Amino acid sequence: MRKVIFDTDPGVDDAMALGFLCRRPELELIGVTTVHGNADIETVTRNALHLKDRFGFAAPVAQGSGVTLLNRQGSPATHVHGRNALGDIDVPEPVATLDGRRGHRMMIDLVRAHPHAVTIVAVGPLTNLARALDKDPEIARLVQGVVVMGGAFGAHGHTGNVSPVAEANVANDPEAADAVFTAPWPVTIVGLDVTQQAVMDAAYLDRLRDQGGETGRFLHAVSRNYRSFHQKSRRLDGIFAHDSLAVICAMAPELFTLRHGPVRVVCGGLASGQTIQKPAESPFPIGAWDPHPSQSVAVDVDVAAALRLYAETFVTPDRR
Ligand code: RIB
Ligand code: CA
């Protein structure tokens, strides 16, 4: 089993990804850290505790950063995820309580407690990971790996969702993303290049509702408003399950085609949040990318296999 720390800003697709992660026998959830992003830190943390009640995982939940690495306020996406960031479904007061540590501190402690055995799956802005690296750079050599949902590199024409050239998680804290992508740990970046290829359409979501038991009904309900955002903004009758693709990549990397090379992030200005890889063996002269380690960018995915893996986790054949 792969030990996983889930760094998240729940978030509709975060909740769908966490529900999947908890069900997978290949993955052992050892910690959840929250971060500003889809909503303010209090809301996303309350949601994470609600999901702990709902999915019944034992892993501790620690509250992470409510501001960016440069202490700026992020820009919550209530128009996408709803005012309560869980599709405005009813979210009762959580029973679960917080771990007393700050998110980045718990991340450091867990990585040090399980050297070379922990994968950090980060599906929100990368502030907590950047803070953890700053406090304890050695963790870069102690993790098994890092999988990030974020960025957009132009594969299949996908270049951004909060601007023509930037994806939300990276754009919400570009300095943190640049610190994470240039650190000496192995990062696999699951960006819009592949997450916008994998659409959970109406029939797919209805099947989760009808054949996925209580959790399937929850996944359908929590994504209802998220679906109407996709319909209005992209005339898409379905949803991009961004964060689930990162979890799928952590457990089934063979479904993804990876391109290798150092990655940098534009910080500030018109293109702030743009992610740019200098592919290995590319003909460019030495520049801002070359002092940094090569990372892996997902440029393609077996969509049918990934969506099948997600659905079969909830829909059992005998359920009619
Ligand atoms: O751009 C998509 C990402 O931003 C997803 O992680 C979504 O939850 C939001 O955080
Ligand atoms: Ca997210």
Side-chain angles (χ1 to χ4, degrees):
M1 285 174 91
R2 182 180 289 263
K3 296 184 188 300
V4 172
I5 297 170
F6 192 61
D7 187 70
T8 176
D9 60 335
V12 170
D13 60 321
D14 305 66
M16 298 180 75
L18 185 52
F20 172 74
L21 200 171
C22 294
R23 289 274 186 108
R24 293 305 310 186
E26 306 87 344
L27 302 173
E28 179 191 0
L29 180 66
I30 62 168
V32 175
T33 50
T34 63
V35 65
H36 68 92
N38 288 323
D40 58 59
I41 192 65
E42 292 77 19
T43 302
V44 298
T45 302
R46 185 176 188 277
N47 290 343
L49 291 172
H50 168 71
L51 296 172
K52 180 174 168 76
D53 292 341
R54 175 176 288 281
F55 297 141
F57 60 80
V61 176
Q63 179 168 314
S65 184
V67 291
T68 69
L69 201 57
L70 300 185
N71 290 316
R72 294 187 189 127
Q73 290 297 327
S75 45
T78 46
H79 63 295
V80 182
H81 295 265
R83 285 180 308 283
N84 72 1
L86 283 183
D88 289 329
I89 62 167
D90 174 44
V91 178
E93 195 57 32
V95 173
T97 55
L98 276 179
D99 184 286
R101 291 168 287 186
R102 297 285 308 278
H104 69 270
R105 173 49 55 194
M106 188 172 86
M107 197 176 278
I108 292 167
D109 292 349
L110 288 172
V111 167
R112 284 196 166 277
H114 307 282
H116 310 296
V118 174
T119 298
I120 301 173
V121 177
V123 296
L126 294 168
T127 316
N128 292 333
L129 280 77
R131 285 239 162 91
L133 279 170
D134 179 57
K135 297 282 185 221
D136 187 354
E138 192 52 28
I139 63 165
R141 303 195 190 289
L142 290 172
V143 293
Q144 185 173 55
V146 180
V147 179
V148 169
M149 190 282 131
F153 296 81
H156 306 287
H158 303 303
T159 57
N161 59 5
V162 289
S163 93
V165 291
E167 176 279 330
N169 286 337
V170 172
N172 268 327
D173 198 342
E175 289 79 10
D178 194 53
V180 167
F181 295 157
T182 56
W185 53 8
V187 184
T188 301
I189 306 171
V190 179
L192 301 182
D193 314 81
V194 291
T195 67
Q196 291 192 168
Q197 293 292 101
V199 176
M200 292 184 177
D201 64 15
Y204 185 98
L205 294 166
D206 289 352
R207 183 164 173 251
L208 288 177
R209 175 194 61 199
D210 300 338
Q211 300 175 30
E214 187 187 343
T215 302
R217 286 189 289 276
F218 166 74
L219 296 173
H220 186 277
V222 77
S223 58
R224 187 175 291 115
N225 291 356
Y226 191 55
R227 264 172 75 176
S228 57
F229 165 75
H230 285 75
Q231 278 158 342
K232 286 183 200 125
S233 62
R234 292 176 179 266
R235 285 185 289 286
L236 184 70
D237 188 13
I239 61 169
F240 299 134
H242 299 289
D243 296 344
S244 295
L245 263 288
V247 177
I248 291 169
C249 187
M251 59 168 282
E254 69 279 6
L255 299 182
F256 294 78
T257 303
L258 303 178
R259 188 177 70 195
H260 305 286
V263 174
R264 296 307 304 273
V265 181
V266 176
C267 296
L270 186 66
S272 187
Q274 184 173 19
T275 49
I276 309 169
Q277 184 183 40
K278 180 179 181 182
E281 279 87 59
S282 48
F284 305 115
I286 297 292
W289 285 259
D290 300 87
H292 302 292
S294 179
Q295 304 294 10
S296 303
V297 169
V299 293
D300 209 353
V301 60
D302 181 339
V303 171
L307 292 179
R308 188 168 49 245
L309 191 59
Y310 187 90
E312 73 187 17
T313 305
F314 302 100
V315 176
T316 48
D318 59 357
R319 237 192 210 123
R320 288 282 168 259

